């Protein structure tokens, strides 16, 4: 029995998670060999307001006993953003060595890219997830004095770079890709980014010699995402660059409501965590109109990770079948369907295809 920890979180996180759990139940009805047990944890901003902390002291020890985590979204006006990030998301990513942030960017049947061209976009982003620009190193001193200053250090380690590039190479080898694109800025960030370039080159040459490696400055790369996104196959990037590229990536294939992600510990020593790219969307929370596809696709990635690529494929197929049929679409993709109508339609597509 595979054990999954489910953390719906805040805002639309709770709404889209309900739909992902419906889809999981449907898959289990269709295929009794899918033995998955879920436990729901209430850790969220509500929990913070009640208890003064985002999750209990022993939360990480508890999560450690699970095979994977399915997460919704977190963020609420009552809790400062740095608390939700540094007391919840970052401890899970760092403690569980989820150093790969994996984000597919793929045109789905039935969705027209806002680039207004009929592009076949299909690439993945490997974003370094535990160090780089998002390091808790630095300081802010002399507050309210003329000499006030803030320093934020970027920390790049050889091991950190090697592990994320290796993960990208492994994926490229496994899926028969021909090219890896590295996001850099070594012309201006001459210490850490040169270090990134050197080690990226070495790892690709050593472990995936048949792959072409192209290093592209981040400012040019964002333009290429708009001009020729179909040229990319696998992108490897530092934490900050990967974060920005991922949101742009989701925008060019139809928006946040369609974009899944995975925080992966490739060694499977710790549980990996699967979550939509979007946040808690306070502007639409409680209205029942959020698109649950990003959450449901995140569930699909989780299923692939726990050794059920067949179930992953079925879910992605069902999402595309519903989008292509076109009758059920949520507001973000030009329709009027509710969150639960979209979840129900995906379950129905699964049931019909059994
Ligand atoms: P965070 O800082 O946590 O990313 P945010 O409010 O900046 O939070 P999101 O919560 O991702 O960002 O929302 C950005 C915009 O996208 C909002 O207008 C929101 O309504 C919309 N959005 C996000 N997710 C969805 C979804 N699943 N369905 C429909 N619209 C969504």
């Amino acid at each position: 029995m595979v054990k999954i920890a489910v953390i719906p979180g805040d805002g639309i996180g709770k709404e889209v998670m309900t739909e992902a759990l419906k889809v999981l139940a449907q898959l289990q009805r269709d295929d009794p060999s899918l033995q998955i047990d879920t436990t729901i944890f209430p850790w969220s901003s509500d929990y913070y307001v009640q208890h003064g902390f985002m999750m209990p002291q022993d939360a990480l020890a508890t999560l450690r006993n699970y095979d994977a985590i399915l997460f919704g979204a977190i963020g609420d006006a009552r809790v400062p953003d740095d608390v939700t990030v540094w007391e919840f998301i970052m401890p899970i990513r760092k403690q569980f060595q989820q150093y790969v942030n994996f984000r597919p960017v793929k045109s789905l049947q039935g969705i027209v890219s806002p680039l207004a061209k009929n592009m076949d976009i299909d690439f993945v982003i490997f974003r370094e997830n535990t160090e780089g620009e998002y390091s808790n190193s630095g300081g802010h001193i002399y507050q309210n004095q003329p000499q006030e200053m803030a320093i934020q250090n970027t920390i790049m380690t050889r091991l950190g770079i090697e592990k994320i590039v290796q993960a990208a190479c492994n994926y490229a080898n496994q899926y028969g890709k021909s090219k890896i694109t590295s996001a850099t800025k070594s012309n201006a960030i001459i210490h850490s980014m040169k270090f990134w370039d050197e080690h990226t080159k070495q790892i690709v040459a050593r472990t995936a010699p048949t792959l072409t490696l192209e290093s592209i400055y981040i400012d040019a790369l964002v333009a290429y995402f708009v001009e020729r996104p179909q040229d990319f196959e696998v992108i490897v990037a530092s934490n900050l660059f990967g974060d920005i590229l991922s949101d742009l990536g989701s925008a060019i294939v139809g928006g946040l409501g369609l974009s899944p992600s995975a925080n992966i510990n490739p060694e499977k020593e710790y549980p990996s965590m699967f979550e939509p790219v979007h946040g808690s969307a306070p502007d639409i929370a409680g209205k029942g109109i959020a698109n649950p596809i990003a959450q449901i696709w995140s569930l699909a990635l989780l299923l692939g990770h726990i050794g059920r690529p067949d179930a992953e494929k079925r879910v992605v197929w069902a999402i595309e079948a519903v989008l292509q049929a076109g009758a059920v679409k949520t507001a973000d993709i030009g329709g009027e369907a509710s969150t639960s109508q979209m979840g129900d339609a995906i379950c129905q597509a699964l049931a019909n295809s059994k």
Side-chain angles (χ1 to χ4, degrees):
M1 178 73 76
V2 174
K3 287 171 65 192
I4 305 294
V6 176
I7 310 177
D10 295 326
I12 64 164
K14 293 188 202 133
E15 300 166 37
V16 293
M17 186 64 84
T18 304
E19 303 312 310
L21 294 179
K22 264 191 210 168
V23 169
L24 179 59
Q26 179 68 45
L27 289 168
Q28 291 186 289
R29 267 196 297 279
D30 294 347
D31 178 0
S33 77
L34 197 60
Q35 298 271 316
I36 294 181
D37 196 31
T38 54
T39 311
I40 299 182
F41 292 94
W43 305 330
S44 60
S45 297
D46 276 341
Y47 189 92
Y48 181 87
V49 170
Q50 279 168 31
H51 299 91
F53 36 85
M54 292 300 298
M55 52 186 177
Q57 290 280 310
D58 60 355
L60 293 179
T62 305
L63 291 176
R64 180 85 165 83
N65 299 317
Y66 286 81
D67 296 293
I69 304 163
L70 187 64
F71 172 50
I74 211 127
D76 183 303
R78 295 167 300 167
V79 185
D81 277 353
D82 58 337
V83 169
T84 48
V85 171
W86 284 98
E87 293 187 17
F88 185 80
I89 296 167
M90 288 299 186
I92 295 177
R93 287 184 183 169
K94 287 180 189 259
Q95 195 68 33
F96 292 159
Q97 293 285 304
Q98 294 168 348
Y99 61 86
V100 173
N101 187 248
F102 175 82
R103 296 189 175 184
V105 178
K106 181 173 155 48
S107 313
L108 292 171
Q109 300 289 328
I111 296 287
V112 179
S113 163
L115 297 177
K117 294 178 203 159
N118 199 8
M119 287 179 174
D120 185 15
I121 302 171
D122 188 1
F123 62 86
V124 294
I125 300 174
F126 280 77
R127 164 190 169 195
E128 202 294 318
N129 211 25
T130 52
E131 55 174 46
E133 304 87 345
Y134 294 180
S135 302
N136 189 11
S137 164
H140 181 180
I141 54 173
Y142 306 131
Q143 266 98 340
N144 303 318
Q145 297 177 45
Q147 67 273 42
E148 182 170 3
M149 61 186 278
I151 296 177
Q152 176 80 45
N153 294 312
T154 291
I155 297 181
M156 289 206 183
T157 65
R158 182 174 172 155
L159 199 60
I161 299 168
E162 288 183 354
K163 287 201 302 191
I164 188 69
V165 177
Q166 183 69 64
C169 287
N170 291 347
Y171 177 90
N173 284 336
Q174 185 182 349
Y175 291 95
K177 305 289 179 186
S178 65
K179 185 173 77 168
I180 289 203
T181 305
S182 163
T184 186
K185 192 64 194 171
S186 48
N187 54 343
I189 306 175
I190 56 173
H191 302 297
S192 55
M193 273 297 155
K194 267 196 179 158
F195 186 61
W196 167 276
D197 287 357
E198 274 166 32
H199 288 285
T200 299
K201 211 168 150 190
Q202 278 178 20
I203 293 292
V204 175
R206 192 187 322 145
T207 62
T210 57
L211 288 178
T212 302
L213 168 67
E214 60 178 10
S215 280
I216 301 184
Y217 295 137
I218 186 70
D219 41 342
L221 190 49
V222 290
Y224 297 157
F225 262 39
V226 175
E227 291 165 10
R228 49 177 181 89
Q230 67 276 49
D231 284 1
F232 298 109
E233 298 178 38
V234 179
I235 294 180
V236 65
S238 63
N239 212 332
L240 172 65
F241 290 175
D243 196 7
I244 296 168
L245 289 174
S246 303
D247 272 29
L248 181 55
S250 74
I252 60 174
V253 289
L256 287 171
L258 302 169
S259 302
S261 83
N263 303 281
I264 302 176
N265 173 246
E267 295 77 15
K268 298 197 173 167
E269 197 183 341
Y270 298 99
S272 295
M273 180 163 72
F274 300 79
E275 59 174 312
V277 172
H278 65 72
S280 57
D283 55 334
I284 57 165
K287 296 183 179 162
I289 57 167
N291 188 343
I293 288 180
Q295 184 77 66
I296 293 169
W297 194 348
S298 301
L299 166 70
L301 294 179
L302 182 154
L303 294 169
H305 180 78
I306 60 166
R308 292 300 302 256
D310 56 326
E312 175 182 3
K313 281 201 192 97
R314 275 196 81 212
V315 174
V316 177
W317 171 86
I319 291 171
E320 286 202 280
V322 170
L323 291 174
Q324 213 168 5
V328 181
K329 283 190 172 174
T330 43
D332 59 313
I333 50 173
E336 290 179 357
S338 66
T339 308
S340 67
Q341 284 169 333
M342 179 58 96
D344 289 346
I346 293 170
C347 288
Q348 193 59 53
L350 285 169
N352 293 345
S353 75
K354 209 167 56 118

